[in-house]
Amino acid sequence: MTSMSRARVARRIAAGAAYGGGGIGLAGAATVGLLLAEARLARRRVGNGTTPHVPNADGLYGAAYTVPGEPALRLTMLGDSTAVGQGVHRAGQTPGALLAAGVAAIAERPVGLSTVAVPGARSDDLDRQVTLALADPSRVPDICVIMVGANDVTHRTPPTRSVRQLAAAVRRLRTAGAEVVVGTCPDLGTIEPVRQPLRWLARRASRQLAAAQTIGVVEQGGRTVSLGDLLGPEFAANPRELFGPDSYHPSVEGYATAAMAVLPTVCAALGLWPADEERPDAARREGFLPVARAAAEAASEAGTEVTAAMPGARGPWALLKRRRRRRVPEAEPVAPPV
């Protein structure tokens, strides 16, 4: 499928989400029976990806930067098992901990992390999660990171519904004053035990949803980062290294790779990035595009950021950026979040 074709599909899904449609499918009706049969086989091979324990990473990071009278930044993680860090064993290995520690180091300011994401969540759980995140009006998060979409694909949730629910969550958070960064649906075609033709169908469905998510999020004032194949060609080349023991959730290195890709966008949303890095770099193939085209390109290239730019005669435009990834070390929380 060409970039223009992907853009048209994404625009149709996003329009259906905005205007209440729900009938646009991610795969043709003729493929559904085959998809379900292969999915059942893959589920038996992969397992359900559950672990008895998910580390609690909530707490204060970068406490050494505390200055009397200056409050800590607040970071909240929403979404599914990818946002929680299911599959790792230590709090410091979770995406939330890695992001909190990275922001604290760059801002030279402590960061309080709270997590309302839950394993297995789909986009229809975001309304509940946002209510939890905004429960205390005096403690509205400075930045929210949402990672969601994989379970919508595997449960065959209509993409228009998924995008509508995600866009509503972003709108509530932005209205409350929080910046929002969304890690879009990962490429399920990289799951090692999944075979063809399910692998191709999963990749197609994942990328279509990721592109449509980007349109919905950007239109509500959020930013997206394509998680794609978590992240870069090395993931498909080295699935045993970047997948965890259950062959479904990312490994420690996989989560670190995802956090490295999301961190620059989180920092940019908080105004922590140098001004010269906010300008598009033609050498890195960055620039302004109609939002649907930017969304389609981002869905095909992991680690690509899309953010709103300007209105256009035929619809909004977006800035597509390929930011340099920043590695951050593991860090454990030193106190409950503040």
Side-chain angles (χ1 to χ4, degrees):
M1 185 181 289
T2 67
S3 177
M4 291 299 293
S5 297
R6 287 193 297 269
R8 284 194 295 270
V9 172
R11 191 162 49 237
R12 265 203 338 269
I13 294 171
Y19 296 106
I24 300 175
L26 289 173
T31 67
V32 171
L34 180 60
L35 178 62
L36 294 179
E38 286 289 333
R40 283 192 289 270
L41 289 173
R43 190 175 299 117
R44 285 200 291 270
R45 295 187 198 107
V46 173
N48 60 10
T50 60
T51 57
H53 173 69
V54 177
N56 180 6
D58 289 2
L60 187 68
Y61 293 78
Y65 298 115
T66 300
V67 174
E70 183 174 308
L73 291 168
R74 296 191 179 96
L75 164 65
T76 299
M77 301 293 295
L78 303 91
D80 57 24
S81 56
T82 307
V84 174
Q86 183 171 355
V88 304
H89 300 291
R90 297 201 300 271
Q93 299 169 334
T94 64
L98 293 168
L99 290 172
V103 172
I106 292 168
E108 297 187 345
R109 187 172 168 186
V111 175
L113 170 68
S114 61
T115 304
V116 296
V118 293
R122 288 175 261 172
S123 297
D124 60 7
D125 191 50
L126 289 176
D127 184 62
R128 182 192 66 83
Q129 293 184 23
V130 170
T131 297
L132 291 175
L134 301 179
D136 185 348
S138 67
R139 294 166 54 85
V140 172
D142 295 285
I143 182 82
C144 291
V145 175
I146 304 174
M147 297 179 176
V148 75
N151 296 314
D152 293 81
V153 173
T154 59
H155 288 78
R156 308 189 311 282
T157 302
T160 49
R161 185 189 306 164
S162 299
V163 173
R164 184 161 57 246
Q165 291 160 340
L166 174 60
V170 174
R171 182 167 58 250
R172 287 182 63 193
L173 293 169
R174 294 291 292 129
T175 300
E179 297 291 338
V180 181
V181 174
V182 175
T184 56
C185 181
D187 184 353
L188 299 181
T190 58
I191 297 176
E192 190 179 31
V194 176
R195 299 186 304 186
Q196 297 290 13
L198 179 59
R199 183 184 293 271
W200 179 85
L201 292 169
R203 170 166 285 121
R204 180 185 177 203
S206 302
R207 291 184 176 183
Q208 285 180 358
L209 179 57
Q213 285 178 319
T214 293
I215 296 174
V217 169
V218 168
E219 288 179 345
Q220 299 302 325
R223 303 179 185 225
T224 63
V225 178
S226 170
L227 293 186
D229 52 7
L230 281 181
L231 288 149
E234 70 277 7
F235 191 74
N238 300 295
R240 294 190 184 279
E241 178 182 346
L242 293 185
F243 274 126
D246 62 7
S247 297
Y248 185 83
H249 292 99
S251 66
V252 172
E253 185 62 29
Y255 279 123
T257 305
M260 279 192 295
V262 173
L263 177 61
T265 300
V266 168
C267 290
L270 290 170
L272 301 175
W273 236 225
D276 60 343
E277 289 200 24
E278 294 306 293
R279 292 191 290 270
D281 184 347
R284 294 172 61 84
R285 295 179 295 115
E286 298 177 344
F288 298 98
L289 293 169
V291 66
R293 280 191 56 197
E297 287 201 19
S300 300
E301 184 174 348
T304 305
E305 174 191 321
V306 180
T307 187
M310 64 190 82
R314 296 188 176 182
W317 283 56
L319 173 61
L320 184 145
K321 289 190 65 66
R322 297 172 172 89
R323 296 185 184 274
R324 296 174 178 85
R325 303 175 194 173
R326 305 296 175 96
R327 176 170 284 279
V328 292
E330 289 182 30
E332 301 291 333
V334 298
V338 295

